[in-house]
Amino acid sequence: MNRRTAMWSSLAVAGAVLLTACGGDTSDDAAADPTTGSGDDPDATEYEPASVTYLTSFGTFGRDAYAYVAEEKGFFDEVNLDVTIEPGTGSVDVMKLIAGGTADFGAADFSTVVVTVANEQLPVTTIGVTHQRSLAAIVSLDGYGITEPKDLEGKTIGDQPGSTNQVIFPTYAEAAGVDADAVEFVPSAPPSLPQLLVSNQVDAIGQFVVGEPLIAAAADGKDVVVLPYGDVLPDLYGNVILTSDALAESDPEVVERFIGALMKGLEYSVENPEETGEILQGVEPTQNVDVAAAEVTIMAEYVRGDVDVVGSIDPDRVDRVIDIMGSALTNEVTPEDLVSFDLAPQG
């Protein structure tokens, strides 16, 4: 019996609450109502209406704009979903909000998911992949004495405590031949990271590779140095989409409708980066259209990877990720504890 099955009996009540939160109405009147579709889309009448909440991985940057694209282009409407999109505050926080029933879906880094599910037994499950390779990276500037991973020894890295970059760093350091104990992480609020770097208050910052255009815009002409974790840990996935074990068990159809529409938004986003930047700015006026479009352009190769179907996930590769992160795990975990393979895009 895997962790999810064993946990289910204790989550039955939570599942019922989440199902209610999703707006599912199984009454005879609702089933017979021919007006349950959304807008002018006749296909939406095939589905019962449902309302769900989705958390971005962090804030409202270009890398997370695909959810707003799915909303703007009507992909959620096509499957009769009313989706409330809220800015996330990092992988672990997103996971805990989903596990507690505050949100129905969210994005988080998969390596962090592996560690947190194993060590804290959080009842969440992966239903799709946003990035087929890790976006985690250490970012510095030309002239700061960092050109390769070994140069990080004796340096300071600004980052938010508990961030994906910090969670994975010991594994990255070991693979890259870096003494992790010789690197100092300086607790820093994410909005302050670019300024801390360009003012040389820290030698580097934790960042996603797609954040390079944002740093370049703040760096006043200095070249940006990016050390991607994926260069030495190519098997690691990047962000994935999560839901709760309870919702995956109680209403798999809503889960499949959501992940299908979201992945449609992801594909559209990477194919249309400029439009994506404009859509994001319409949601968050402080976002720069060009910077957002540049982020999405960089992200495209990570989204497509070498898979035939965007969003799909490989059980064997999940097993390898577990092995890679093994030194950080205090409890055993299996691929089935981490992923609902039957609900994820197939291919």
Side-chain angles (χ1 to χ4, degrees):
M1 179 180 296
N2 66 27
R3 179 185 58 81
R4 185 174 302 117
T5 302
M7 190 177 294
W8 172 238
S9 59
S10 65
L11 290 174
V13 173
V17 171
L18 280 173
L19 179 58
T20 301
C22 287
D25 183 354
T26 57
S27 68
D28 291 340
D29 289 342
D33 185 359
T35 64
T36 55
S38 63
D40 298 323
D41 183 2
D43 293 335
T45 60
E46 299 176 10
Y47 306 105
E48 290 292 326
S51 298
V52 298
T53 300
Y54 170 79
L55 301 176
T56 69
S57 63
F58 189 88
T60 52
F61 297 100
R63 69 204 70 165
D64 275 302
Y66 56 90
Y68 300 107
V69 169
E71 181 179 49
E72 175 69 20
K73 304 306 291 187
F75 300 149
F76 293 134
D77 290 340
E78 290 173 1
V79 292
N80 217 356
L81 289 179
D82 177 17
V83 179
T84 299
I85 304 169
E86 297 180 353
T89 53
S91 295
V92 174
D93 284 346
V94 167
M95 294 174 68
K96 290 182 176 180
L97 290 171
I98 293 172
T102 302
D104 301 297
F105 302 95
D109 175 78
F110 188 63
S111 298
T112 305
V113 171
V114 173
V115 173
T116 308
V117 169
N119 295 354
E120 300 186 29
Q121 301 290 288
L122 285 186
V124 299
T125 183
T126 300
I127 56 170
V129 176
T130 306
H131 310 128
Q132 294 292 328
R133 286 189 291 132
S134 175
L135 294 183
I138 301 299
V139 173
S140 187
L141 295 176
D142 185 41
Y144 283 19
I146 299 173
T147 59
E148 60 181 29
K150 192 70 174 174
D151 295 332
L152 295 172
E153 294 180 0
K155 300 296 197 299
T156 57
I157 300 175
D159 206 0
Q160 176 177 302
S163 73
T164 290
N165 297 76
Q166 286 201 50
V167 170
I168 307 175
F169 185 77
T171 304
Y172 166 75
E174 181 179 3
V178 175
D179 179 2
D181 293 333
V183 181
E184 179 186 357
F185 274 86
V186 178
S188 310
S192 70
L193 291 177
Q195 186 56 39
L196 289 174
L197 180 63
V198 300
S199 62
N200 207 8
Q201 296 181 61
V202 294
D203 300 306
I205 58 174
Q207 183 61 263
F208 276 180
V209 295
V210 295
E212 181 180 353
L214 177 67
I215 304 304
D220 198 24
K222 289 184 179 178
D223 290 336
V224 180
V225 177
V226 181
L227 303 178
Y229 286 17
D231 283 357
V232 296
L233 297 168
D235 273 334
L236 294 187
Y237 285 107
N239 277 359
V240 296
I241 306 302
L242 304 173
T243 191
S244 66
D245 286 350
L247 186 56
E249 292 277 359
S250 65
D251 204 340
E253 190 216 36
V254 163
V255 173
E256 289 181 315
R257 284 156 58 187
F258 177 81
I259 193 63
L262 187 68
M263 291 299 102
K264 193 172 179 180
L266 179 61
E267 288 192 80
Y268 189 95
S269 178
V270 298
E271 290 169 0
N272 301 275
E274 291 80 12
E275 184 181 355
T276 296
E278 293 168 358
I279 289 172
L280 181 64
Q281 190 182 61
V283 174
E284 180 48 72
T286 62
Q287 290 298 317
N288 182 292
V289 171
D290 293 334
V291 169
E295 280 199 10
V296 175
T297 298
I298 294 171
M299 193 172 79
E301 65 175 286
Y302 291 83
V303 169
R304 298 188 180 104
D306 57 0
V307 297
D308 294 328
V309 176
V310 167
S312 60
I313 186 166
D314 177 16
D316 292 336
R317 188 170 164 195
V318 173
D319 225 355
R320 296 198 297 274
V321 175
I322 294 170
D323 287 341
I324 291 169
M325 301 305 300
S327 62
L329 309 183
T330 57
N331 296 298
E332 291 186 2
V333 69
T334 70
E336 289 71 26
D337 292 327
L338 300 165
V339 182
S340 292
F341 292 102
D342 56 331
L343 299 179
Q346 303 296 311

